[in-house]
Amino acid sequence: MIIYNVTINIDDSVHLEWLEWIKEHIPQVLATGKFSEAKLTKVLVEEEMGGQTYSIQYKAHNKEALDQYYQEDAER
């Protein structure tokens, strides 16, 4: 199993907008066919800069699928 992890810190001023966007973005990433599932989790950490921290973990079918994602889809 290959996990593609994206961890991001979101400023409080755009937190709710980002949550709406990521809930649309995750299905778009899954629609590439390179991943079998995704999990969005809130990271309970206090950053010096403030904000909210999240981790999105995408389960890739295999290393080749992840490599294809980087080459074909990641920039979008």
Side-chain angles (χ1 to χ4, degrees):
M1 168 179 26
I2 302 292
I3 298 292
Y4 170 49
N5 183 74
V6 178
T7 302
I8 187 166
N9 182 273
I10 304 298
D11 190 271
D12 289 328
S13 66
V14 294
H15 175 237
L16 294 179
E17 290 174 70
W18 181 85
L19 275 177
E20 289 178 29
W21 174 81
I22 198 66
K23 289 177 183 176
E24 294 174 10
H25 180 69
I26 290 172
Q28 293 170 349
V29 172
L30 292 174
T32 67
K34 276 83 173 190
F35 304 96
S36 60
E37 65 182 83
K39 186 182 295 186
L40 171 67
T41 56
K42 184 167 177 44
V43 179
L44 299 178
V45 63
E46 288 188 32
E47 297 285 353
E48 282 185 31
M49 64 189 127
Q52 307 293 319
T53 302
Y54 288 86
S55 170
I56 305 102
Q57 295 184 343
Y58 298 94
K59 187 190 290 185
H61 296 297
N62 51 47
K63 177 74 165 82
E64 292 78 19
L66 180 59
D67 290 342
Q68 283 183 323
Y69 174 77
Y70 286 135
Q71 292 173 359
E72 300 171 2
D73 305 294
E75 285 192 33
R76 286 187 274 139

